[in-house]
């Protein structure tokens, strides 16, 4: 088998980062988003661990969090699994996820299972380099991660880690924010340019202050600011796009949050190809990355948002199981029964 993990340093080692704060932003108050409480995250991780153990994975590295999601999930497990915390000092902030992803990439674990939303995966993607991600949706908009049961995600991660999965990893694009020639941050879904001067509530859902939205991929059926691009940009290749908001064009009815459909005036839009950059002309401004206000820019000579094809490696659990069925990776030899 051409398993990706067979070429890595620890072929039976998998990482887990579960964000206890994911899915708890202000959009719960203004929309009808689903709630993934921490007890449910514990149950999801327990199913991931059970699947990894069934696939013969020997070791799981996990990031400690303020709720103890993985520790609670591991309580009472009868399967043999060496579960260890990532050896980094924890501040219980987003910085932990970034540092843990970098450490796991250095250790060359087979893949990293994440529990969170778009913001969680953006932080992980900053430092995970070529460490494949298996993202499980427990956030708000969940454009990047997959809404999939932990069992299926665990099976996919286990097949990859044990070298039984044909290579079906996908390289997804990312958006890079360059300020005066320096890479300031990245986004996996969209970058929104806002006139608001203060970060305030980090989550953004009101389009009235937004002048422009740049998306990494035009995908139908998404929720959030990327839904504006999906409504007005009929791209069959799912490439990127930049959308300018305001009167004088058309109006798109877009689901900016779960259960929240908003008419959004759109002046113009253009397709965006890899390695092309969009200049940001509104300065000062605030940039929202993947739906959350992150960067306040008061002064700059040049601000660019560049679409890069060199985003994170992603394992789609359903695609992984489809490929496993084709290759016979889930079949048990008669003598093993």
């Amino acid at each position: 088998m051409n398993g990706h993990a067979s070429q890595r340093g620890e072929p039976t080692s998998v990482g887990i980062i579960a964000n206890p704060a994911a899915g708890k932003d202000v959009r719960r108050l203004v929309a009808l988003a689903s709630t993934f409480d921490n007890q449910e995250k514990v149950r999801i991780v327990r199913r991931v661990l059970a699947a990894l153990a069934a696939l013969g994975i020997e070791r799981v590295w996990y990031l400690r969090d303020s709720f103890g999601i993985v520790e609670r999930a591991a309580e009472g497990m009868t399967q043999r699994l060496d579960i260890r915390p990532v050896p980094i000092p924890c501040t219980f902030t987003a910085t932990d996820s970034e540092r843990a992803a970098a450490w796991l990439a250095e250790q060359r674990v087979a893949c990293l299972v994440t529990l969170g939303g778009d913001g969680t995966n953006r932080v992980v993607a900053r430092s995970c380099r070529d460490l494949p991600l298996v993202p499980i949706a427990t956030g708000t908009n969940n454009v990047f991660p997959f809404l999939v049961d932990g069992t299926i995600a665990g099976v996919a991660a286990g097949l990859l880690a044990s070298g039984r999965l044909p290579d079906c990893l996908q390289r997804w694009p990312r958006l890079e924010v360059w300020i005066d020639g320096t890479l300031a941050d990245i986004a996996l879904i969209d970058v929104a340019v806002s006139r608001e001067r203060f970060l305030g509530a980090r989550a953004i859902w009101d389009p009235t202050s937004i002048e422009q939205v740049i998306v990494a991929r035009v995908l139908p059926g998404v929720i959030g600011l990327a839904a504006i691009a999906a409504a007005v940009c009929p791209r069959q290749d799912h490439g990127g796009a930049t959308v300018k908001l305001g009167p004088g064009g058309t109006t798109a009815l877009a689901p900016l949050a779960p259960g929240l459909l908003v008419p959004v005036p759109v002046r113009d839009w253009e397709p965006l190809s890899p390695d092309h950059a969009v200049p940001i002309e509104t300065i000062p401004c605030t940039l929202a990355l993947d739906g959350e206000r992150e960067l306040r820019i008061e002064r700059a000579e040049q601000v660019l948002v560049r679409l890069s094809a060199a985003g994170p490696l992603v394992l789609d659990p359903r695609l992984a199981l489809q490929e496993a069925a084709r290759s016979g990776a889930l079949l048990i030899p008669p003598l093993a029964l």
Side-chain angles (χ1 to χ4, degrees):
M1 301 255 176
N2 265 341
H4 180 80
S6 63
Q7 302 174 9
R8 303 183 73 89
E10 285 194 40
T12 58
S13 180
V14 170
I16 296 179
I17 293 179
N19 182 4
K24 297 181 179 179
D25 59 51
V26 70
R27 284 169 288 189
R28 289 296 178 285
L29 303 179
V30 300
L32 302 172
S34 301
T35 299
F36 294 93
D37 63 27
N38 288 336
Q39 290 294 349
E40 178 58 24
K41 294 171 188 174
V42 169
R43 290 187 284 269
I44 292 172
V45 171
R46 187 170 294 150
R47 296 194 288 270
V48 172
L49 294 176
L52 293 175
L55 268 294
I57 303 307
E58 300 170 0
R59 180 173 299 167
V60 171
W61 292 100
Y62 71 93
L63 174 63
R64 289 177 294 144
D65 67 83
S66 58
F67 189 77
I69 291 174
V70 178
E71 293 97 330
R72 293 173 187 239
E75 290 177 358
M77 280 192 66
T78 58
Q79 302 97 328
R80 294 186 59 182
L81 201 57
D82 183 6
I83 304 175
R84 304 183 182 185
V86 173
I88 63 170
C90 289
T91 61
F92 303 118
T93 64
T95 303
D96 294 348
S97 296
E98 186 171 1
R99 294 176 61 206
W103 187 90
L104 291 167
E106 291 172 1
Q107 300 304 306
R108 299 182 66 81
V109 302
C111 59
L112 172 56
V113 178
T114 61
L115 274 74
D118 300 329
T120 300
N121 286 284
R122 181 180 67 83
V123 172
V124 168
R126 285 177 184 161
S127 61
C128 71
R129 302 197 288 275
D130 281 341
L131 173 58
L133 303 183
V134 187
I136 302 175
T138 61
T140 302
N141 292 341
N142 297 314
V143 178
F144 184 88
F146 300 102
L147 190 59
V148 63
D149 187 84
T151 311
I152 303 303
V155 170
L159 288 170
L160 181 68
S162 59
R164 285 179 272 178
L165 187 65
D167 192 2
C168 58
L169 295 174
Q170 300 171 322
R171 177 80 68 178
W172 286 5
R174 72 179 191 179
L175 295 167
E176 300 173 345
V177 179
W178 292 83
I179 302 177
D180 292 337
T182 299
L183 179 60
D185 213 329
I186 67 166
L188 299 178
I189 309 302
D190 52 48
V191 174
V193 183
S194 171
R195 297 183 300 273
E196 293 183 349
R197 296 186 57 85
F198 304 102
L199 297 180
R202 299 179 70 85
I204 188 167
W205 71 93
D206 182 1
T208 57
S209 68
I210 299 174
E211 293 199 348
Q212 191 171 10
V213 178
I214 302 105
V215 299
R217 294 182 296 162
V218 176
L219 297 172
V222 297
I223 290 178
L225 297 176
I228 303 172
V232 299
C233 308
R235 294 203 64 171
Q236 298 298 320
D237 60 355
H238 300 322
T242 176
V243 182
K244 294 182 179 180
L245 306 190
T250 187
T251 299
L253 186 62
L256 299 187
L260 185 66
L261 284 163
V262 178
V264 181
V266 175
R267 287 191 288 124
D268 192 17
W269 74 273
E270 294 180 2
L272 183 62
S273 302
D275 296 326
H276 284 67
V278 178
I280 304 304
E281 300 172 353
T282 303
I283 297 176
C285 67
T286 296
L287 298 186
L289 310 179
D290 294 339
E292 296 182 348
R293 299 177 182 89
E294 292 286 348
L295 291 175
R296 177 63 192 168
I297 304 173
E298 294 289 348
R299 297 182 183 88
E301 293 296 325
Q302 184 185 62
V303 179
L304 299 173
V305 177
R306 174 179 174 269
L307 178 60
S308 169
L313 282 172
V314 179
L315 180 64
D316 181 334
R318 294 187 176 92
L319 175 61
L321 266 66
Q322 181 181 30
E323 293 302 316
R326 289 177 179 173
S327 65
L330 291 172
L331 298 180
I332 302 174
L335 293 179
L337 294 175

